[in-house]
Amino acid sequence: MPTTLEPKLITGTANIPLAKAIARRMSIHRNLGLVNARVERFNDQEIFVEVYDNVRGEDMFIIQSTSRPANDNLMELLIMADALRRSSAKRITAVIPYFGYARQDRRAKARTPISAKLVANMLVEAGVERVLTMDLHAAQIQGFFDIPVDNLYASPIFALDILHQFKDTGLNDVMVVSPDVGGVARARELAKRINAPLAIVDKRREKPGEIAEMTVIGDVSGKKCIIVDDICDTAGTLCKAAEVLMEHGATEVHSYITHGVLSGPAVERISNSVMKSLVITDSIEPTDAVKNTPNIRIVPTAPLFAQAILNIWNGTSVSSLFETETLEPAYEGLYDL
């Protein structure tokens, strides 16, 4: 069996621009490109994958978010993993920037599934031997797998962006805000990185999708508030939280969200909201509407994923990428700090 000289990248159709950006980033130091393959849908929407390049004995990385349409993109990932396994790939790593079904991580009521666990089982059965993802909705999903899972964090990227955006006005009046009690740990992590205080918006729901009441815990008067969360779907909670913060005396409200699902009326809500800016990553390929919304800005994750893939392939530490200082060289040129 030949010795693996380079990591090999292959992509589904979920987020081709991100996959190309990762390959481009890795090709700075290595002559890397995406493995030649095709993903085809038959008339009945069955998915067919054909890999043209030889992958025998290779260390393969499949880049595929399981975002909308979640079921199609998940099936693509599973079928690609099966194709690579049957083609004698040495190791298959699923690079899933956005892990779909992550919000179904527990049984909230009787006779409901734990779909995140089911997805984990299917990935392993298809031949995936390692998973690389970012900002899992629930950290315990790593325990659903019996294979290694590397969960990257967007907070180092966000910290770099905040330091760049607020370098002229300073961080003295910046406050990090968690939009709910469950996201306090995530918000506290970012607050520590930029040395800012923390506030919480406590929300109560009468039923799913409807917010009955919001209470601000902490003094936000005269502050530039930065709301931090992992997922923005319909943006109802986010826009309402921004309004409540402004009502409590905040001077500006910005939001930093890892995964911009932005379904339904989300883009319209954000464009009409009191938020000065919404910053998302490209873990989910943005639509034209998202790209053209003036107060939505997209930060790249390709440098982070490219370095993580190289570290996995080299057998070096992935957790070193959790530190903002470690990522600064990877984002050199983008952020002049």
Side-chain angles (χ1 to χ4, degrees), residues 99 101-105 116-117 120 136-145 149:
F99 190 94
Y101 286 101
R103 286 176 280 185
Q104 299 184 44
D105 63 305
K117 171 59 177 169
L136 281 171
H137 182 65
Q140 68 264 24
I141 292 174
Q142 294 176 82
F144 292 176
F145 290 87
V149 176

Side-chain angles (χ1 to χ4, degrees), residues 3 27 40 62 140 146-147 187 193 214 299 332 335:
T3 303
S27 67
E40 183 180 331
I62 309 173
Q140 68 264 24
D146 292 324
I147 58 175
R193 290 178 187 274
M214 279 190 166
V299 295
E332 188 177 2
Y335 297 120

Side-chain angles (χ1 to χ4, degrees), residues 13-176:
T13 62
N15 197 340
I16 294 174
L18 175 58
K20 288 181 176 179
I22 292 171
R24 210 163 38 239
R25 182 75 193 184
M26 294 175 67
S27 67
I28 293 174
H29 305 293
R30 290 174 164 78
N31 185 23
L32 293 177
L34 295 171
V35 166
N36 194 15
R38 72 182 173 109
V39 179
E40 183 180 331
R41 279 172 174 74
F42 296 140
N43 291 333
D44 62 355
Q45 297 305 300
E46 280 188 8
I47 297 168
F48 175 74
V49 172
E50 182 177 6
V51 182
Y52 294 122
D53 295 347
N54 178 26
V55 297
R56 183 179 296 274
E58 299 288 358
D59 197 354
M60 299 299 304
F61 293 82
I62 309 173
I63 303 170
Q64 177 81 337
S65 282
T66 50
S67 50
R68 184 177 59 245
N71 299 330
D72 286 2
N73 289 331
L74 176 60
M75 279 304 299
E76 273 188 28
L77 176 56
L78 295 170
I79 292 170
M80 293 184 88
D82 186 71
L84 294 173
R85 181 183 61 174
R86 295 177 187 276
S87 302
S88 302
K90 181 181 180 181
R91 182 177 67 171
I92 302 169
T93 299
V95 181
I96 312 175
Y98 172 70
F99 190 94
Y101 286 101
R103 286 176 280 185
Q104 299 184 44
D105 63 305
R106 63 191 182 281
R107 297 187 68 191
K109 56 180 73 173
R111 296 178 295 280
T112 57
I114 305 178
S115 302
K117 171 59 177 169
L118 176 62
V119 170
N121 290 345
M122 290 193 293
L123 288 169
V124 173
E125 190 63 29
V128 172
E129 297 170 67
R130 191 181 197 103
V131 171
L132 174 63
T133 187
M134 183 171 67
D135 272 354
L136 281 171
H137 182 65
Q140 68 264 24
I141 292 174
Q142 294 176 82
F144 292 176
F145 290 87
D146 292 324
I147 58 175
V149 176
D150 293 303
N151 183 30
L152 301 175
Y153 298 103
S155 56
I157 306 173
F158 287 163
L160 285 172
D161 190 86
I162 292 168
L163 291 171
H164 175 71
Q165 295 298 322
F166 293 91
K167 66 180 179 180
D168 294 331
T169 58
L171 295 172
N172 294 332
D173 55 352
V174 168
M175 175 173 274
V176 175

Side-chain angles (χ1 to χ4, degrees), residues 245-258:
L245 290 169
M246 292 297 287
E247 289 170 3
H248 281 72
T251 57
E252 295 177 4
V253 177
H254 305 262
S255 295
Y256 280 75
I257 310 293
T258 307

Side-chain angles (χ1 to χ4, degrees), residues 25 160 303-304 307 321 325-334:
R25 182 75 193 184
L160 285 172
L304 174 63
Q307 191 59 54
L321 301 176
E325 295 77 12
T326 309
L327 276 186
E328 280 184 13
Y331 281 83
E332 188 177 2
L334 181 62

Side-chain angles (χ1 to χ4, degrees), residues 61 132 152 303-313 316 318 321:
F61 293 82
L132 174 63
L152 301 175
L304 174 63
F305 278 107
Q307 191 59 54
I309 289 170
L310 287 172
N311 287 10
I312 290 171
W313 174 72
T316 54
V318 174
L321 301 176

